[in-house]
Amino acid sequence: MEKYDKNGNLKKEYYDERNGLWYELKGDYYYPMIAVPKQEKIIIGKYGRARLKYIKQHKKCLYTELIITGTLNQHLAKIDKTANHRVNEIVCEMARKESVPKHYDGKMNQLEWVSLMNNYKHCAEGIIYSELIYC
């Protein structure tokens, strides 16, 4: 399509067949009419937010691709869900190997049990950050 109408005036919108984009006249310039698809609202937890921060700073191409395709929130939600699941699995496996109950049962010192579980969770999060978040 041409940029000019029958009277020789610039059209408010025109289609460029070379690149397949529509353009809109604003002032003296034509701007491409590009819109990012709307993303569904998803609550993202601790691991999803950590992944977002990481890809914004270190994986800018991936971040841009996810934004443009409208899949950023799904990606972050998937990472968050997977990370939470893996942390729970790892903590349970570590507790099982050392014969520590998953839930406090009163058979051992409460502070010792809390300390052990916090240690297991810290170790599990270290694994998760290297496997899922910072990759």
Side-chain angles (χ1 to χ4, degrees), residues 9-40:
N9 297 323
L10 288 172
K11 292 182 179 179
K12 292 192 179 208
E13 295 178 356
Y14 86 94
Y15 180 74
D16 188 348
E17 294 176 4
R18 294 176 295 168
N19 61 17
L21 294 176
W22 280 92
Y23 289 84
E24 179 179 25
L25 181 65
K26 290 189 179 184
D28 294 335
Y29 299 99
Y30 278 105
Y31 293 95
M33 295 167 54
I34 300 172
V36 175
K38 292 207 175 203
Q39 296 187 33
E40 62 183 276

Side-chain angles (χ1 to χ4, degrees), residues 82-101:
T82 304
N84 278 309
H85 182 70
R86 286 285 295 138
V87 165
N88 289 335
E89 281 181 346
I90 293 168
V91 167
C92 289
E93 182 65 23
M94 293 174 100
R96 187 188 60 76
K97 282 185 179 179
E98 294 190 18
S99 301
V100 175

Side-chain angles (χ1 to χ4, degrees), residues 33-116:
M33 295 167 54
I34 300 172
V36 175
K38 292 207 175 203
Q39 296 187 33
E40 62 183 276
K41 298 254 180 191
I42 299 174
I43 296 173
I44 297 171
K46 170 183 176 178
Y47 304 113
R49 289 190 308 272
R51 176 70 174 164
L52 175 61
K53 184 178 178 183
Y54 176 75
I55 64 173
K56 268 185 169 179
Q57 292 177 353
H58 302 285
K59 303 273 186 173
K60 292 179 182 172
C61 289
L62 174 63
Y63 176 72
T64 303
E65 177 185 338
L66 292 171
I67 287 284
I68 289 173
T69 59
T71 57
L72 177 65
N73 287 344
Q74 289 91 356
H75 173 78
L76 298 175
K78 182 180 175 185
I79 291 289
D80 191 65
K81 182 179 178 182
T82 304
N84 278 309
H85 182 70
R86 286 285 295 138
V87 165
N88 289 335
E89 281 181 346
I90 293 168
V91 167
C92 289
E93 182 65 23
M94 293 174 100
R96 187 188 60 76
K97 282 185 179 179
E98 294 190 18
S99 301
V100 175
K102 182 180 173 185
H103 300 287
Y104 181 69
D105 60 3
K107 293 181 181 174
M108 65 187 303
N109 181 337
Q110 188 175 9
L111 290 176
E112 182 182 353
W113 180 83
V114 169
S115 176
L116 284 171

